């Protein structure tokens, strides 16, 4: 069950990867349309203003079609075969579901306590999705329907029908089953979801009123669950869903960014819910402190090597907001440091919130600049000075706390390994090619710089015959195996550049980094090649 939940969480991250760029582009258009920042050239009606309005309309794509992106994203990550067809099936079935819901409310809306005659929009509980006026179930509805379609696809896509019904098998059969399944689900949704919307409204009030402690608890859970891969379930309802504000913090923030930039009211008063999106500060300010502690506590003869490892992962954390490569460098050898990290990250966010810092700050420094500091600096620079002071203070706190704990408990952090010969090479590129040649003289088409790492991970996971499922999220290659005893130790995977391996029964997560999509592609190519080779051998 944990493996399935982790795969589900990883699949949810597929569309989330698109939000960062779109958010930055939106922020830039709002900056360039603000006369306070660029002068009278940005007055409404000018060529400059109209040109940036065109760009802005395109930048809203991801946010306006958020539900459809999650509907498409889940099959890509969860369908066992024919992922592209599964994505098509999910879209068709999701649209069918919304047509059903819209029609039910049109004819029986009063029965379910829904006024369907009004315009769809904020506060009505209704929304236009792909031109369909329907209940606003947000990403929750999208994920639920898509998950149902993936289950139907995995179970019935390869079912063989009699020849005279052959036209109805494959994707057609999945959509047919989905069609009939959506009708009762649509009725249940029309009946239950309006009550859930009331509950969400109450929860939003509770969380907003929970103040500093609520922000602390949210950030702590978001960090501490990273090793399990379940942190997606914490931040997604807040940042992209209705947990604290309709449409999610990211959408609401971008909708009102221009308004906030012109107001002189404190940001915390304008948008107190923004305290639940401060978790990116730990990515920006914690990473340098942790890296510095690792460097100064490493053995002098190993500091150059440690520095070479720390610089890229620290820059990745600070600039892009991807912290897993850094965090997993110490998670496995000193788990207590990760608990301390989660505690400090939560305390940092809570402290900033107590001093009035709010916004959409879930990413790295580039995200922070584009979506917060630059567009709002004119009237809210004092808030960001406070944020910077608190952040740098926590950088120092991280450094001294981590340095103290590493030395006190003699943790084997990078550069302090007990066994200096632990870094044993598994395969070189030459050795890999020789191994492939000895296996039958096959040269794999499409091989590139990621093939070697993929081959090392495949070997470390017990070979092709031991691979049950393949998936990935932003930085991890998620693999299900048949026999976990065949999987090698972390040292084998580190030879491919991995930062570590999360082990949970038959579920394994290889911490690859930002190149994980390319590594996964080569990993799957190797699986297909080995499958074809075995098939030829059997023939």
């Amino acid at each position: 069950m944990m493996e399935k939940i982790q795969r589900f969480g990883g699949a949810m991250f597929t569309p989330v990867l698109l939000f960062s760029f779109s958010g930055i582009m939106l922020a830039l258009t709002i900056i360039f349309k603000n006369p306070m920042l660029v002068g009278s050239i940005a007055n409404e009606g000018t060529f400059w203003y109209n040109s940036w309005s065109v760009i802005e309309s395109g930048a809203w794509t991801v946010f306006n079609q958020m539900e459809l992106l999650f509907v498409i994203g889940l099959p890509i990550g969860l369908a066992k075969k024919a992922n592209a067809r599964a994505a098509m099936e999910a879209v068709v079935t999701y649209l069918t579901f919304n047509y059903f819901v819209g029609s039910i409310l049109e004819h029986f809306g009063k029965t379910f306590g829904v006024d369907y005659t009004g315009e769809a929009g904020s506060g009505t509980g209704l929304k236009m999705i792909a031109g369909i006026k329907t209940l606003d179930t947000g990403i929750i509805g999208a994920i639920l329907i898509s998950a149902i379609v993936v289950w139907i696809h995995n179970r019935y896509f390869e079912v063989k029908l009699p020849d005279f019904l052959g036209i109805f098998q494959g994707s057609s059969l999945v959509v047919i089953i989905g069609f009939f399944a959506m009708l009762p689900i649509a009725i249940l949704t029309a009946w239950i979801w309006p009550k859930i919307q009331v509950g969400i409204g109450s929860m939003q009030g509770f969380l907003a009123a929970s103040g500093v402690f609520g922000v602390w608890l949210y950030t702590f859970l978001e960090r501490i669950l990273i090793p399990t891969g379940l942190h997606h379930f914490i931040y997604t309802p807040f940042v992209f869903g209705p947990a604290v504000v309709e449409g999610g913090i990211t959408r609401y923030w971008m909708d009102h960014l221009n308004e906030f930039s012109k107001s002189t009211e404190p940001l915390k008063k304008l948008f107190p819910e923004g305290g639940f999106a401060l978790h990116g500060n730990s990515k920006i300010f914690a990473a340098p402190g942790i890296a510095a502690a690792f460097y100064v506590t490493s053995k002098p003869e190993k500091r150059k090597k440690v520095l070479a490892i720390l610089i890229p992962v620290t820059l990745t954390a600070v600039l892009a907001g991807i912290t897993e490569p850094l965090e997993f460098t110490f998670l496995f050898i000193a788990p207590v440091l990760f608990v301390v990290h989660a505690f400090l990250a939560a305390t940092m966010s809570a402290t900033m919130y107590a001093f009035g810092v709010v916004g959409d700050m879930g990413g790295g420094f580039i995200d922070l600049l584009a979506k917060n500091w630059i567009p709002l600096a004119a009237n809210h620079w004092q808030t960001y000075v406070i944020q910077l002071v608190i952040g740098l203070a926590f950088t120092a706190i991280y450094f001294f706390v981590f340095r103290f704990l590493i030395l006190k408990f003699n943790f084997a952090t990078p550069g302090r390994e007990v066994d200096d010969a632990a870094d044993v090479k598994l395969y070189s590129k030459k050795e890999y090619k020789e191994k492939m040649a000895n296996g039958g003289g096959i040269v794999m088409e499409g091989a590139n710089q990621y093939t070697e790492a993929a081959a090392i991970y495949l070997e470390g996971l017990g070979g092709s015959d031991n691979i049950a499922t393949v998936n990935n999220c932003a930085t991890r290659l998620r693999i299900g195996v048949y026999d976990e005893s065949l999987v090698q130790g972390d040292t084998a995977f580190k030879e491919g550049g991995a930062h570590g391996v999360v082990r949970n029964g038959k579920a394994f997560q290889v911490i690859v980094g930002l190149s994980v999509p390319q590594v996964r592609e080569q990993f799957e190519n190797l699986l297909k090649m080995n499958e074809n080779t075995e098939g030829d051998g059997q023939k």
Side-chain angles (χ1 to χ4, degrees):
M1 180 58 69
M2 179 60 71
E3 177 189 357
K4 292 179 180 178
I5 292 174
Q6 288 174 335
R7 288 190 68 222
F8 190 81
M12 282 204 308
F13 197 78
T14 303
V16 171
L17 291 171
L18 304 175
F19 286 94
S20 182
F21 170 75
S22 296
I24 291 173
M25 287 305 302
L26 270 178
L28 288 176
T29 61
I30 291 170
I31 291 169
F32 290 127
K33 288 173 61 178
N34 190 336
M36 296 176 60
L37 297 175
V38 298
S40 59
I41 191 176
N43 288 336
E44 189 171 351
T46 63
F47 176 79
W48 176 271
Y49 181 94
N50 293 338
S51 297
W52 281 105
S53 295
V54 172
I55 297 173
E56 180 183 2
S57 65
W60 274 111
T61 302
V62 169
F63 298 99
N64 289 339
Q65 307 299 334
M66 190 182 301
E67 292 86 357
L68 288 176
L69 291 176
F70 277 93
V71 167
I72 295 170
L74 252 67
I76 292 174
L78 295 178
K80 295 178 180 178
K81 290 187 177 181
N83 305 64
R85 288 181 175 273
M88 178 190 70
E89 296 154 9
V91 170
V92 172
T93 305
Y94 179 67
L95 295 178
T96 301
F97 162 77
N98 281 299
Y99 274 119
F100 278 152
V101 171
S103 187
I104 289 169
L105 295 180
E106 181 181 2
H107 297 289
F108 306 103
K110 293 182 179 179
T111 304
F112 298 104
V114 176
D115 181 10
Y116 191 74
T117 59
E119 290 290 327
S122 178
T124 66
L126 301 172
K127 185 175 183 179
M128 297 297 295
I129 296 177
I132 309 166
K133 186 179 177 183
T134 182
L135 273 179
D136 184 6
T137 57
I139 63 169
I140 295 175
I143 291 170
L144 175 63
I145 300 304
S146 189
I148 292 173
V149 176
V150 169
W151 181 84
I152 296 172
H153 173 88
N154 288 339
R155 189 175 180 87
Y156 295 104
F157 178 75
E158 293 184 330
V159 169
K160 181 72 171 67
L161 297 178
D163 290 343
F164 69 93
L165 294 176
I167 193 174
F168 297 115
Q169 63 190 23
S171 291
S172 296
L173 180 60
V174 174
V175 171
I176 290 169
I177 296 173
F179 180 92
F180 290 106
M182 288 305 106
L183 188 54
I185 291 174
I187 295 172
L188 286 172
T189 302
W191 174 43
I192 296 173
W193 190 255
K195 298 177 178 61
I196 294 177
Q197 287 177 324
V198 173
I200 290 173
S202 300
M203 183 179 67
Q204 289 171 345
F206 168 76
L207 290 171
S210 61
V212 173
F213 175 73
V215 171
W216 186 94
L217 182 61
Y218 162 79
T219 309
F220 179 78
L221 292 174
E222 190 274 334
R223 286 289 94 186
I224 200 69
L225 289 175
I226 280 179
T228 68
L230 302 182
H231 58 299
H232 304 299
F233 293 97
I234 298 298
Y235 74 78
T236 300
F238 286 80
V239 177
F240 303 116
V244 290
V245 65
E246 185 177 346
I249 290 173
T250 294
R251 173 63 190 258
Y252 188 94
W253 180 257
M254 300 312 303
D255 271 337
H256 296 82
L257 187 58
N258 198 33
E259 171 191 332
F260 294 157
S261 69
K262 297 176 181 178
S263 175
T264 56
E265 291 283 338
L267 285 174
K268 189 174 180 181
K269 182 177 180 180
L270 292 170
F271 188 45
E273 297 85 355
F276 292 96
L278 299 179
H279 49 283
N281 285 283
S282 68
K283 305 172 182 180
I284 298 169
F285 297 107
I290 295 171
F294 288 167
Y295 178 76
V296 301
T297 57
S298 63
K299 298 176 182 179
E301 66 273 17
K302 288 192 173 185
R303 285 185 176 173
K304 285 186 177 180
K305 183 177 179 181
V306 169
L307 196 62
I309 295 173
L310 290 177
I311 288 177
V313 297
T314 303
L315 287 175
T316 299
V318 172
L319 297 178
I322 302 296
T323 58
E324 290 173 329
L326 176 64
E327 291 165 341
F328 278 94
T329 60
F330 64 88
L331 173 63
F332 301 106
I333 51 180
V336 67
L337 290 180
F338 195 85
V339 176
V340 171
H341 169 44
F343 178 86
L344 290 177
T347 306
M348 184 196 308
S349 292
T351 304
M352 288 183 177
Y353 182 69
F355 281 87
V357 179
V358 296
D360 184 12
M361 303 178 184
F365 189 66
I366 296 173
D367 207 49
L368 180 69
L369 277 177
K371 296 165 67 175
N372 297 271
W373 286 10
I374 294 176
L376 300 177
N379 287 323
H380 302 285
W381 62 269
Q382 301 94 332
T383 300
Y384 298 130
V385 170
I386 292 172
Q387 179 190 9
L388 187 60
V389 171
I390 295 173
L392 292 176
F394 269 89
T395 299
I397 291 171
Y398 264 96
F399 170 75
F400 288 113
V401 170
F402 269 60
R403 179 181 179 275
F404 170 78
L405 292 174
I406 291 169
L407 296 176
K408 176 72 174 177
F409 297 101
N410 197 27
F411 290 133
T413 48
R416 293 174 57 83
E417 295 85 359
V418 177
D419 183 4
D420 290 335
D423 193 14
V424 180
K425 196 167 186 178
L426 181 63
Y427 282 119
S428 68
K429 186 176 292 186
K430 179 181 178 182
E431 290 168 337
Y432 166 67
K433 289 181 178 179
E434 289 175 352
K435 180 178 184 293
M436 296 306 298
N438 292 334
I442 298 172
V443 177
M444 187 179 74
E445 293 184 8
N448 55 32
Q449 65 267 38
Y450 304 104
T451 308
E452 180 187 359
I456 291 173
Y457 301 151
L458 181 57
E459 189 75 16
L461 289 161
S464 300
D465 293 339
N466 197 37
I467 306 301
T469 59
V470 181
N471 196 5
N472 73 277
C473 64
T475 58
R476 313 182 201 188
L477 184 65
R478 296 168 179 256
I479 305 295
V481 301
Y482 294 112
D483 184 355
E484 61 269 34
S485 67
L486 298 178
V487 180
Q488 300 179 25
D490 285 11
T491 302
F493 293 91
K494 288 180 180 179
E495 276 307 310
H499 301 280
V501 182
V502 179
R503 301 164 187 267
N504 186 9
K506 297 181 184 297
F508 291 81
Q509 300 175 32
V510 183
I511 315 304
V512 176
L514 293 174
S515 61
V516 68
Q518 293 84 0
V519 172
R520 175 186 173 178
E521 182 181 10
Q522 292 304 307
F523 190 92
E524 291 181 323
N525 287 343
L526 287 169
L527 287 176
K528 292 176 183 176
M529 186 191 70
N530 291 340
E531 181 180 336
N532 292 336
T533 303
E534 291 172 3
D536 292 340
Q538 290 172 356
K539 290 177 184 178

